[in-house]
Amino acid sequence: MRTAAIACEPWVTAAVLVQLLESAALPPEAAQSIRRAMADEGVTLAHLIRDALPVPLRWLAPPGTGLTAERAACIGYAAGREVRPTTFPPLSLSLISASTVAEVVRLLDYLPVVTNALHAEVTHLEPTVDIRFSPRARDPVLDAFVAFYFAAAFPRLLSLLAVRPLTLNVALAAPRPRGLPDDPCNPMPRFDAARHRLWLPASELTIECRFADHSTHRAQLAALAATRMPTDPLIEQLRELLYQRPQRVSVEAAAAALGMSVATLKRRLRAGGTAFRTLREAVSRERAIRLLGDPTVSIETVADALGYSEPANFAHAFKRWTGLAPGVFRRRLVGRAAVARAVRDAVP
């Protein structure tokens, strides 16, 4: 399964698929259909997670399963109620380290690193903040899943992260699906609205978050700026080429592998708003953060996986990217993930 091809169709990050497969919201037959689709593509769940591959949204509703838009909406809403900050890498650490509700809302600008099947636009209309969202799967069943998932997931994330409850309202431009149960802990959306939207008082943007860490949040935003799903397939092909050992691939070797001159490669990258060194560092940083999240992988192994001959060289580069030494970053990452899991278990 090639990510360049997947980028041309509606997709979600692999972690969302994992959350769905673990969720009680997904009927057994739907889970079986997803696993069959994975087998047909020749991929395993471990492969998807390890390489953080995008997952085609069509796996959720393979032809012949008889899944209706109404049923997909119920599944999406129930699954959205179960999300946690760790569901959405590479946004997870940015979510957990946000200082205020405003910083969480601003992370909607980075939805393209999680999915291309949803667009959200934030508008400040005093005295409220309006978040309009629209599914872009181009399929009524998948669009219903995406809209209802987000309508439940984003309020859920805010409730987990904010230190006190928010006055958050949700409206959906769809009738209430039959079979959608009431939520005793949260108000239900308004149905049959003119458009999909969420809104809250602008004054609540300053409410603090539970696990605020300004330096980590700032470093993560810098990393996110270079990890959006690219529009030029060449950029994704280059990312794949760099992924195995990014620091050992030169621009000359990359151009030769892609069948073009160095000048052409540089021109194409420039047209895509990036450069070879920028992309190589982004891939290195992205992979390093993912590997450091696994405490069983030594820092020496991480350095070697990225192509550094000496761990000290990797440590120097990583501190330049994030402002933290790899060991310090790992302790914060693992510690915050543990706190997030505790919060997840404590909040119904």
Side-chain angles (χ1 to χ4, degrees), residues 17-43:
L17 179 70
V18 173
Q19 187 241 331
L20 277 172
L21 290 173
E22 293 177 346
S23 170
L26 194 66
E29 62 273 16
Q32 291 171 4
S33 295
I34 291 173
R35 294 187 186 279
R36 281 196 298 270
M38 290 167 54
D40 291 343
E41 296 276 357
V43 296

Side-chain angles (χ1 to χ4, degrees), residues 96 98-99 159-164 208-212 343 347:
I96 295 169
S99 298
S159 72
L160 290 173
L161 295 170
V163 296
R164 62 182 176 86
E208 295 180 351
C209 292
R210 299 174 190 269
F211 317 115
V343 172
V347 178

Side-chain angles (χ1 to χ4, degrees), residues 119-208:
H119 174 74
E121 182 175 344
V122 181
T123 306
H124 294 262
L125 300 171
E126 292 291 347
T128 65
V129 174
D130 193 77
I131 303 169
R132 299 183 182 185
F133 60 98
S134 55
R136 297 190 170 181
R138 303 184 298 275
D139 176 276
V141 173
L142 298 180
D143 279 341
F145 171 86
V146 169
F148 277 74
Y149 183 91
F150 181 77
F154 195 65
R156 163 74 172 175
L157 288 174
L158 288 172
S159 72
L160 290 173
L161 295 170
V163 296
R164 62 182 176 86
L166 303 175
T167 313
L168 186 64
N169 302 279
V170 183
L172 286 162
R176 177 169 179 161
R178 290 171 295 179
L180 185 70
D182 288 328
D183 186 346
C185 301
N186 299 290
M188 293 296 287
R190 303 179 187 181
F191 297 100
D192 295 306
R195 60 177 61 89
H196 300 314
R197 59 189 286 253
L198 299 92
W199 67 99
L200 73 161
S203 59
E204 295 187 357
L205 290 176
T206 59
I207 292 176
E208 295 180 351

Side-chain angles (χ1 to χ4, degrees), residues 293-310:
D294 183 350
T296 67
V297 179
S298 70
I299 291 176
E300 291 76 12
T301 300
V302 176
D304 181 68
L306 269 63
Y308 287 95
S309 57
E310 295 292 337

Side-chain angles (χ1 to χ4, degrees), residues 4 17 88 118 189 198-199 203 208 252 314 329 341:
L17 179 70
F88 305 107
L118 180 76
L198 299 92
W199 67 99
S203 59
E208 295 180 351
E252 292 81 10
F314 163 64
F329 185 90
R341 286 194 295 272

Side-chain angles (χ1 to χ4, degrees), residues 24-30 65-78 140-141 144-145 148 177-181:
L26 194 66
E29 62 273 16
T65 58
L67 184 65
T68 64
E70 189 172 50
R71 183 63 180 139
C74 290
I75 293 172
Y77 196 79
V141 173
F145 171 86
F148 277 74
R178 290 171 295 179
L180 185 70

Side-chain angles (χ1 to χ4, degrees), residues 56-96:
L57 206 57
R58 57 180 160 79
W59 286 5
L60 303 181
T65 58
L67 184 65
T68 64
E70 189 172 50
R71 183 63 180 139
C74 290
I75 293 172
Y77 196 79
R81 286 173 173 173
E82 299 176 2
V83 302
R84 45 195 182 271
T86 51
T87 300
F88 305 107
L91 288 180
S92 296
L93 196 55
S94 301
L95 285 165
I96 295 169

